[in-house]
Amino acid sequence: MLKHMRLTHVGPVDPLEAELDERLNVFTGDNGLGKSFLLDVAWWILTRTWAGRPAMGRRKVAVPLRRDARKGIVQMSSPSIHWSLRGRRAVEGSATIKPGASPTEWTRSKGRPPLVGLVLYARIDGGFSLWDPARNYWWDEEHERPPAYHFTREEVWDGKPLDAPGKICEGLIRDWRDWQQNSSSNEFRLLTELLEILSPEPSERMRPGGPPRVLEPDDGRRIPMLELPYGEVPLIHASAGMRRVLALAYLLVWSWEKHREASESRGIPPETRMVLLVDEVEAHLHPRWQRVIVPAILKAIEHVQRDVSVQVLMTTHSPMVLASLEPHFEEERDQLFRFAMEEGHVELHRIDWTKHGDATGWLVSEVFGLQEARSPEAEEALEQAHTFLLGEGAMPRRAREIQRKLAELLPSTDPYWAVWRFGLQRMKLKVEGS
């Protein structure tokens, strides 16, 4: 598992330093500040492969600038990535870009990576990446091994082809169909149970439906059905949010079952550790799903693999996700981070965990930094009303203007009306409609 990472001259935060906890690490912050980039680098540290494009380093002139007048040499500071891992043994490592090399050509410290368990990365584009120590680790020098498995969104559903004829993964549609037809399939039992765990509540349970069906004459595939409260829906017609949850459930079952098979064939014990990276965990999900998804994911992993130690690195923009963690957050094992723009520089801060009660409380906390959980227009009107009530002297005309604006933007049941009326009474102003 990833314990510490430090990035210098690479990415939006320079330098970036993060001390990670052993279970849940949540990253928030505005768009474009480096949340997804951090997950990409974490995946690379753990697996030695990039899930997408490699990180690009930047060479910088050393500070203070020193020039050798005789040789005309300017000292440059090279990009670097340093890390420490918790595996079966503690390991530190580093990587840098050598002078003259491409800005994406990272040279790592030598030695085999430690075994950190399975690493699964749910990317924001709907794709997934998997690193399996039983199938991707350098157990011997005689057999070639894929460095990792990378699935596009389409390959998760339709299968992942090998360079040679055949497939390394049949895909969700075919595996679901085959598992369902096998009455003794442990995979289908697990998949069914995970769908129930990952459903938002009993009234919206996802269950496997009836036998797979051919939907179109020119497409001979038999498509599995998903049973929802209002009827059966073909998997390929499920909503975007459901498809991401279905893909995660499938990949959890597929990765662990294939890991067990590979471990048995190698004569090694299966892993009981996992690192899960999830980018924008709330993507495509209704708030009803957002408020249960993270606890459900933790429960689902433990259900697939008993006594598993799981470390989660996830990003989110959702105050509902953070509100949902309040009953489950363990300060001795979990952390909350925030990317923030400060004076033209991006900074990463660890945020002390504080309960804010609901999504509105989180929106106006330091994590999201909004003054009001409202539209910008309503926020401006409230600021004008607040300034007026704190001012000196009675200005009836100005009070009427502010009240008309508030009436346009606030519902009649808004609690601020009590504040406004009390303020007018204190100022001995009577405004019609107040």
Side-chain angles (χ1 to χ4, degrees), residues 400-431:
R400 288 193 294 272
E401 291 175 357
I402 292 175
Q403 181 162 299
R404 281 197 298 270
K405 195 65 174 177
L406 292 175
E408 292 174 4
L409 297 167
L410 304 184
S412 59
T413 55
D414 195 287
Y416 187 77
W417 284 116
V419 177
W420 175 251
R421 290 171 186 135
F422 177 79
L424 293 180
Q425 290 175 5
R426 182 182 61 81
M427 301 175 75
K428 297 181 180 179
L429 284 174
K430 185 166 184 174
V431 178

Side-chain angles (χ1 to χ4, degrees), residues 204-224:
E204 295 185 56
R205 285 280 184 258
M206 295 184 294
R207 297 184 177 92
R213 305 174 191 172
V214 176
L215 303 180
E216 301 176 5
D218 57 349
D219 185 346
R221 296 180 302 168
R222 286 174 293 142
I223 305 298

Side-chain angles (χ1 to χ4, degrees), residues 13 25 73 98 107 118 148 232 240 254 269 271 302 377 429:
V13 183
N25 298 273
I73 297 174
K98 294 181 177 180
T107 301
L118 271 77
E232 289 190 340
W254 182 84
E271 276 289 343
E302 294 172 356
E377 293 83 359
L429 284 174

Side-chain angles (χ1 to χ4, degrees), residues 38-227:
L38 182 143
L39 294 188
D40 287 342
V41 175
W43 161 268
W44 176 76
I45 289 172
L46 293 164
T47 69
R48 297 195 172 205
T49 73
W50 292 103
R53 293 177 179 172
M56 184 169 66
R58 303 184 302 275
R59 295 193 182 279
K60 289 196 173 182
V61 177
V63 179
L65 178 66
R66 293 184 295 178
R67 180 182 294 273
D68 187 318
R70 293 170 299 174
K71 299 180 180 179
I73 297 174
V74 176
Q75 286 192 341
M76 301 295 289
S77 179
S78 295
S80 63
I81 301 174
H82 298 268
W83 63 85
S84 59
L85 301 173
R86 302 182 187 98
R88 292 177 181 171
R89 56 188 177 89
V91 171
E92 294 186 359
S94 63
T96 188
I97 295 175
K98 294 181 177 180
S102 161
T104 59
E105 188 178 338
W106 292 92
T107 301
R108 296 178 62 127
S109 48
K110 295 182 179 180
R112 289 189 174 190
L115 290 170
V116 294
L118 271 77
V119 186
L120 183 62
Y121 185 4
R123 306 193 303 271
I124 188 58
D125 62 1
F128 284 78
S129 295
L130 172 69
W131 189 83
D132 180 350
R135 292 183 284 165
N136 304 122
Y137 193 69
W138 301 334
W139 289 102
D140 55 57
E141 302 295 339
E142 297 180 2
H143 299 89
E144 292 186 4
R145 59 163 182 85
Y149 302 119
H150 302 288
F151 302 92
T152 65
R153 179 177 55 188
E154 291 74 22
E155 288 170 342
V156 171
W157 287 76
D158 299 324
K160 171 75 174 177
L162 291 168
D163 293 335
K167 287 188 176 181
I168 194 159
C169 175
E170 298 289 353
L172 188 155
I173 292 175
R174 182 175 292 183
D175 274 339
W176 180 313
R177 182 196 67 196
D178 293 345
W179 294 346
Q180 187 172 10
Q181 291 176 335
N182 182 356
S183 59
S184 61
S185 169
N186 182 59
E187 292 90 343
F188 192 67
R189 177 188 60 80
L190 277 174
L191 181 64
T192 302
E193 292 166 354
L194 290 198
L195 293 183
E196 183 170 350
I197 291 171
L198 293 169
S199 296
E201 57 185 39
S203 64
E204 295 185 56
R205 285 280 184 258
M206 295 184 294
R207 297 184 177 92
R213 305 174 191 172
V214 176
L215 303 180
E216 301 176 5
D218 57 349
D219 185 346
R221 296 180 302 168
R222 286 174 293 142
I223 305 298
M225 307 298 291
L226 185 65
E227 181 184 323

